[in-house]
Amino acid sequence: MIVESPIAGGPGRRLMVQMFLAFAFAYFFSALLRAVTATLAPTFSNELGLGAGALGLLAGAYFLGFAAMQLPLGSALDRFGPKRVLMVLLAVAAVGCACFGAARDLPQLLVARLLIGVGVSACLMAPLTCYRRRFGPTAQLRTNSWMLMTGSLGMLFSTLPVQWLLPVLGWRGLFLAVAVLLLVSIAAIAFLVPRDDAAHESSAAAAPNGGYREVLRHPVFVRMAPLGFFAYGGMVAMQSLWIGPWLTQVAGHSPGGAARGLFIVNLSMLVAFLCWGLLMPRLVRSGWDADRIIARAWPLGVACLGAILWFGPAAGAGAWAAWCVLTSVVSLSQPAVAQAFPSSLAGRALSAFNLVIFAGVFAVQWGIGLALDALRALGWAPLSAYRASLGLFLAGCLLAFLWAHWHRGAAAVLQPTAGRT
C-alpha cells in the first residue's frame, strides 16, 4: 500500500503499513460515529421527536467536543506523543458510545455525543503527527489521503450497513457494539504502533509556550483558515448530516432511499481520496503542489453547489457526490499546512487547523438547522428554506476561496520540502 521510503532513520515499509492499518482501524469508527446521525436522523425524529434544530445540535455536539479538544490535544501530542494520547482518548470514546446507547432523552444524548467527540478527537491528528515525524513529505500527502479514504469508508458504513443493522441491533445496540470495537482498536495500536519518540517529546517540551501564537500568526495558517472553516468544515457538515435530510425533504426519497444515496456519496468520496493518495506523488514531482491544485479546482465545487440549489428536487445523490468529490481538493490543505512548520510544532499546527475545520462543521451544521427551522416557521416551503440556508453556506465558501486567492503570497510555503524537520 505505502511504497515510498520514509525519512532517514524512519520505519521500514512493513512497519509503515502496520502503523497505517492500526491508526486507520480507529479512524474508521471515528468517521462512522461522525456521520451516522445523517442515517439515524429519521429514527431520532420519529422516536424522540427531534426537529431540525435539535438534530443539528445533536450532530454538532460531536464536533463541539471534538473542536474543544484541539488546542490541548496539539500540546499533548507534541509533549507526550501520538500513541499514548490516542489510546487514552479512545477509551473516553468507548465510554461515550456506551452512554449514548443507554441515553433516554436529548440532554443525555447531547452529553454522550459530546463525550464521543472528545474521545475521537485524536483519531486523525495523532496519525498525522506520527506521519509528520516519521515519513517523508510526499508520503505524508499520500497517507493523509488514504486516512481520509478510511474515513470515507467509515462514513460509507454509516449509511446502508447501519440501515441494515438497525432491525437487528437497534440504534442503541449499534453504539454499544462500536464501544467494544473501540476497545479492540486500542489493543491494535498498543501492539502495532512503535513507542513514541522521546527525542521529539523532549524537543516539544522545551519549545516556548507561545507555540500556538507562532502557528496562528503564520501566513499559511492565516490564508487557509477561512477555507478550512467554510469549505472543508462545510463539506464534512453536509456529508455527515444535511445531505440526508435534503434527499428526504427536497428530493422526495424514503429513509431507505436516502441511506442508499448517502452510500453513493460516501463511496464516491472513498474513491476520490484513494485517487488523491495514488496521484499526489506524481503531481508533486510534476510541480503541482497543494496550493496550485486547490486554486485550479475550487471554482468547480462552488459552481456544482450553485447548480444543486438551482435544480432543487432534481439534484439527488449523484449531484451531491459530484460536489463532495470536487470539494475534496481542500483536504490537501491539511498536510500542506503541517509541512509549513517544524516537526516539534506538528501536533499544534495540525490541531489548530483541525480546530478551525471542526468549528466550521459545528457552525454550519447547527446554523443550517436553525435557519431551516426559522424559515419554515415563517411559512417557507422546504425547497425555498433549503435554498436560502444553503445559499448562505455557498456565499461563505466563495468568500473563503477568494480570501485564499487574495493572500497567495504565502503559497510558496505550502510546497512540500523534503528536508524540513
Side-chain angles (χ1 to χ4, degrees), residues 257-300:
R260 288 189 291 273
L262 290 169
F263 184 89
I264 293 171
V265 170
N266 291 311
L267 179 61
S268 300
M269 291 296 287
L270 186 153
V271 173
F273 288 129
L274 173 63
C275 291
W276 282 126
L278 292 172
L279 292 175
M280 277 312 299
R282 296 180 183 180
L283 291 172
V284 170
R285 286 195 296 268
S286 300
W288 283 80
D289 56 56
D291 179 72
R292 186 181 177 190
I293 297 171
I294 292 172
R296 293 292 189 277
W298 74 259
L300 299 175

Coordinates of all heavy atoms in Angstrom, one line a residue, residues 257-300:
G257 N -34.1 5.1 0.8 CA -33.6 5.7 -0.4 C -32.5 6.7 -0.1 O -31.5 6.8 -0.8
A258 N -32.7 7.5 1.0 CA -31.7 8.5 1.4 C -30.4 7.8 1.9 O -29.3 8.2 1.6 CB -32.2 9.3 2.5
A259 N -30.6 6.6 2.6 CA -29.4 5.9 3.0 C -28.6 5.3 1.8 O -27.4 5.4 1.8 CB -29.8 4.7 3.9
R260 N -29.4 4.9 0.8 CA -28.7 4.5 -0.5 C -28.0 5.6 -1.1 O -26.9 5.5 -1.7 CB -29.7 3.8 -1.4 CG -30.2 2.4 -1.0 CD -31.0 1.7 -2.0 NE -32.3 2.4 -2.3 CZ -33.4 2.1 -1.6 NH1 -33.4 1.2 -0.6 NH2 -34.5 2.7 -1.9
G261 N -28.6 6.8 -1.1 CA -28.0 8.0 -1.7 C -26.7 8.4 -0.9 O -25.7 8.7 -1.5
L262 N -26.8 8.3 0.4 CA -25.6 8.6 1.2 C -24.5 7.6 1.0 O -23.3 7.9 1.0 CB -25.9 8.7 2.7 CG -26.8 9.9 3.1 CD1 -27.3 9.7 4.5 CD2 -26.0 11.1 3.0
F263 N -24.9 6.3 0.7 CA -23.9 5.3 0.4 C -23.2 5.7 -0.9 O -21.9 5.6 -1.0 CB -24.6 4.0 0.2 CG -23.7 2.8 -0.1 CD1 -23.2 2.0 1.0 CD2 -23.4 2.4 -1.4 CE1 -22.4 1.0 0.7 CE2 -22.5 1.4 -1.6 CZ -22.0 0.6 -0.6
I264 N -23.9 6.2 -1.9 CA -23.2 6.6 -3.2 C -22.3 7.8 -2.9 O -21.2 7.8 -3.4 CB -24.3 7.0 -4.2 CG1 -25.1 5.8 -4.6 CG2 -23.7 7.7 -5.4 CD1 -26.3 6.1 -5.4
V265 N -22.7 8.7 -2.1 CA -21.9 9.9 -1.8 C -20.6 9.5 -1.1 O -19.5 9.9 -1.5 CB -22.7 10.9 -0.9 CG1 -21.7 12.0 -0.4 CG2 -23.8 11.5 -1.7
N266 N -20.7 8.6 -0.1 CA -19.5 8.2 0.6 C -18.6 7.3 -0.2 O -17.4 7.3 0.0 CB -19.9 7.6 2.0 CG -20.5 8.6 2.9 OD1 -20.0 9.7 3.1 ND2 -21.7 8.3 3.5
L267 N -19.2 6.5 -1.0 CA -18.4 5.6 -1.9 C -17.6 6.5 -2.9 O -16.4 6.2 -3.1 CB -19.3 4.7 -2.7 CG -18.6 3.7 -3.7 CD1 -17.6 2.8 -3.0 CD2 -19.6 2.9 -4.4
S268 N -18.2 7.6 -3.4 CA -17.5 8.5 -4.3 C -16.4 9.2 -3.6 O -15.3 9.3 -4.1 CB -18.5 9.5 -4.8 OG -19.6 8.9 -5.5
M269 N -16.6 9.5 -2.3 CA -15.5 10.2 -1.5 C -14.4 9.2 -1.3 O -13.2 9.5 -1.3 CB -16.1 10.7 -0.2 CG -17.0 11.9 -0.4 SD -16.1 13.3 -1.1 CE -15.2 13.9 0.3
L270 N -14.7 7.9 -1.0 CA -13.7 6.9 -0.8 C -12.8 6.8 -2.0 O -11.6 6.8 -1.9 CB -14.4 5.6 -0.5 CG -13.5 4.4 -0.1 CD1 -14.3 3.4 0.8 CD2 -13.0 3.6 -1.3
V271 N -13.4 6.7 -3.2 CA -12.7 6.6 -4.4 C -11.8 7.9 -4.7 O -10.7 7.8 -5.1 CB -13.6 6.4 -5.6 CG1 -12.8 6.4 -6.9 CG2 -14.3 5.0 -5.5
A272 N -12.4 9.1 -4.4 CA -11.7 10.3 -4.6 C -10.4 10.4 -3.7 O -9.3 10.7 -4.2 CB -12.6 11.5 -4.2
F273 N -10.5 10.0 -2.4 CA -9.3 10.0 -1.6 C -8.3 8.9 -1.9 O -7.1 9.1 -1.8 CB -9.7 9.9 -0.1 CG -10.4 11.1 0.4 CD1 -11.6 11.0 1.1 CD2 -9.8 12.4 0.3 CE1 -12.3 12.2 1.6 CE2 -10.5 13.5 0.8 CZ -11.7 13.4 1.4
L274 N -8.8 7.8 -2.4 CA -7.9 6.8 -2.9 C -7.1 7.3 -4.1 O -5.9 7.2 -4.2 CB -8.7 5.5 -3.4 CG -7.9 4.4 -4.1 CD1 -6.8 3.9 -3.2 CD2 -8.8 3.3 -4.6
C275 N -7.8 8.0 -5.0 CA -7.1 8.6 -6.2 C -6.1 9.7 -5.8 O -5.0 9.8 -6.3 CB -8.1 9.1 -7.2 SG -9.1 7.8 -8.0
W276 N -6.5 10.5 -4.8 CA -5.6 11.6 -4.3 C -4.3 10.9 -3.8 O -3.2 11.4 -4.1 CB -6.2 12.4 -3.2 CG -7.2 13.5 -3.7 CD1 -8.5 13.7 -3.3 CD2 -6.9 14.5 -4.7 NE1 -9.0 14.7 -4.0 CE2 -8.1 15.3 -4.8 CE3 -5.8 14.8 -5.5 CZ2 -8.2 16.4 -5.7 CZ3 -5.9 15.9 -6.3 CH2 -7.1 16.7 -6.4
G277 N -4.4 9.8 -3.0 CA -3.3 9.2 -2.5 C -2.4 8.6 -3.6 O -1.2 8.6 -3.4
L278 N -3.0 8.1 -4.6 CA -2.2 7.5 -5.7 C -1.6 8.5 -6.6 O -0.4 8.3 -7.1 CB -3.1 6.6 -6.6 CG -3.7 5.3 -5.9 CD1 -4.7 4.6 -6.8 CD2 -2.5 4.3 -5.6
L279 N -2.3 9.7 -6.8 CA -1.8 10.6 -7.7 C -0.9 11.7 -7.1 O 0.0 12.3 -7.9 CB -3.0 11.4 -8.4 CG -3.9 10.5 -9.3 CD1 -5.1 11.4 -9.7 CD2 -3.1 10.1 -10.5
M280 N -1.0 12.0 -5.8 CA -0.2 13.1 -5.3 C 1.3 13.0 -5.5 O 2.0 14.0 -5.9 CB -0.5 13.2 -3.8 CG -1.8 14.0 -3.5 SD -1.9 15.6 -4.4 CE -0.4 16.4 -3.8
P281 N 1.9 11.8 -5.3 CA 3.4 11.7 -5.6 C 3.7 12.2 -7.0 O 4.7 12.9 -7.2 CB 3.7 10.3 -5.4 CG 2.7 9.8 -4.4 CD 1.5 10.5 -4.8
R282 N 3.0 11.7 -8.0 CA 3.2 12.1 -9.4 C 3.0 13.6 -9.6 O 3.7 14.3 -10.3 CB 2.3 11.3 -10.3 CG 2.6 9.8 -10.3 CD 1.7 9.0 -11.3 NE 2.0 7.6 -11.2 CZ 1.3 6.7 -11.9 NH1 0.4 7.1 -12.8 NH2 1.6 5.4 -11.8
L283 N 1.9 14.1 -9.0 CA 1.6 15.5 -9.2 C 2.7 16.4 -8.6 O 3.0 17.4 -9.1 CB 0.2 15.8 -8.5 CG -1.0 15.2 -9.2 CD1 -2.3 15.5 -8.4 CD2 -1.2 15.9 -10.6
V284 N 3.1 16.0 -7.4 CA 4.2 16.8 -6.7 C 5.5 16.8 -7.6 O 6.1 17.8 -7.8 CB 4.5 16.2 -5.3 CG1 5.7 16.9 -4.7 CG2 3.3 16.5 -4.4
R285 N 5.8 15.6 -8.1 CA 7.0 15.6 -9.0 C 6.9 16.4 -10.2 O 7.8 16.9 -10.8 CB 7.3 14.1 -9.4 CG 7.9 13.3 -8.2 CD 8.5 12.0 -8.7 NE 7.4 11.1 -9.3 CZ 6.8 10.2 -8.6 NH1 7.0 10.0 -7.3 NH2 5.9 9.4 -9.2
S286 N 5.6 16.6 -10.7 CA 5.4 17.4 -11.9 C 5.2 18.9 -11.5 O 4.9 19.7 -12.4 CB 4.1 16.9 -12.6 OG 4.2 15.6 -12.9
G287 N 5.4 19.3 -10.3 CA 5.3 20.7 -9.9 C 3.9 21.1 -9.5 O 3.7 22.3 -9.3
W288 N 3.0 20.2 -9.3 CA 1.6 20.5 -8.9 C 1.5 20.4 -7.4 O 1.2 19.4 -6.8 CB 0.6 19.6 -9.5 CG 0.3 20.0 -11.0 CD1 1.1 19.7 -12.0 CD2 -0.8 20.8 -11.4 NE1 0.5 20.2 -13.2 CE2 -0.6 20.9 -12.8 CE3 -1.9 21.4 -10.8 CZ2 -1.5 21.6 -13.6 CZ3 -2.8 22.1 -11.6 CH2 -2.6 22.2 -13.0
D289 N 1.8 21.5 -6.6 CA 1.7 21.5 -5.2 C 0.3 21.6 -4.8 O -0.6 21.9 -5.6 CB 2.6 22.5 -4.5 CG 2.3 23.9 -5.0 OD1 1.1 24.3 -4.9 OD2 3.2 24.6 -5.6
A290 N 0.0 21.5 -3.5 CA -1.4 21.6 -3.0 C -2.0 22.9 -3.3 O -3.2 22.9 -3.7 CB -1.4 21.3 -1.4
D291 N -1.3 24.0 -3.2 CA -1.9 25.3 -3.4 C -2.3 25.4 -4.9 O -3.4 25.9 -5.1 CB -0.8 26.4 -3.1 CG -1.4 27.8 -3.3 OD1 -2.2 28.2 -2.6 OD2 -1.0 28.4 -4.3
R292 N -1.5 25.0 -5.8 CA -1.9 25.1 -7.2 C -3.1 24.2 -7.5 O -4.0 24.7 -8.3 CB -0.7 24.7 -8.1 CG -0.9 24.9 -9.6 CD 0.3 24.4 -10.3 NE 0.2 24.6 -11.8 CZ 1.0 24.1 -12.7 NH1 2.1 23.4 -12.3 NH2 0.7 24.2 -13.9
I293 N -3.2 23.0 -7.0 CA -4.3 22.2 -7.2 C -5.6 22.8 -6.7 O -6.6 22.8 -7.3 CB -4.1 20.8 -6.6 CG1 -2.8 20.1 -7.3 CG2 -5.3 19.9 -6.8 CD1 -2.4 18.8 -6.6
I294 N -5.5 23.3 -5.4 CA -6.7 23.9 -4.8 C -7.2 25.1 -5.7 O -8.4 25.3 -5.9 CB -6.4 24.3 -3.4 CG1 -6.2 23.1 -2.5 CG2 -7.6 25.2 -2.8 CD1 -5.7 23.4 -1.1
A295 N -6.2 25.9 -6.1 CA -6.6 27.1 -6.9 C -7.3 26.8 -8.2 O -8.2 27.5 -8.6 CB -5.3 27.9 -7.1
R296 N -6.9 25.7 -8.8 CA -7.5 25.3 -10.1 C -8.9 24.6 -9.9 O -9.7 24.8 -10.7 CB -6.6 24.3 -10.8 CG -5.2 24.9 -11.3 CD -5.4 25.9 -12.4 NE -4.1 26.3 -13.0 CZ -3.3 27.2 -12.5 NH1 -3.7 27.8 -11.4 NH2 -2.2 27.5 -13.1
A297 N -9.1 23.9 -8.8 CA -10.2 23.1 -8.6 C -11.4 23.7 -7.9 O -12.6 23.3 -8.1 CB -9.9 21.8 -7.9
W298 N -11.1 24.7 -7.0 CA -12.2 25.2 -6.2 C -13.4 25.8 -6.9 O -14.6 25.6 -6.5 CB -11.7 26.2 -5.1 CG -11.3 27.5 -5.6 CD1 -10.1 28.0 -5.8 CD2 -12.2 28.7 -5.8 NE1 -10.1 29.3 -6.2 CE2 -11.4 29.7 -6.2 CE3 -13.6 28.8 -5.7 CZ2 -11.9 31.0 -6.5 CZ3 -14.1 30.1 -6.1 CH2 -13.3 31.1 -6.4
P299 N -13.2 26.5 -8.1 CA -14.4 27.0 -8.7 C -15.4 26.0 -9.2 O -16.6 26.2 -9.2 CB -13.8 27.8 -9.9 CG -12.4 28.1 -9.6 CD -12.0 26.9 -8.7
L300 N -14.9 24.8 -9.5 CA -15.8 23.7 -9.9 C -16.7 23.3 -8.8 O -17.9 23.1 -9.0 CB -15.0 22.5 -10.4 CG -14.1 22.7 -11.6 CD1 -13.2 21.5 -11.9 CD2 -14.9 23.1 -12.8

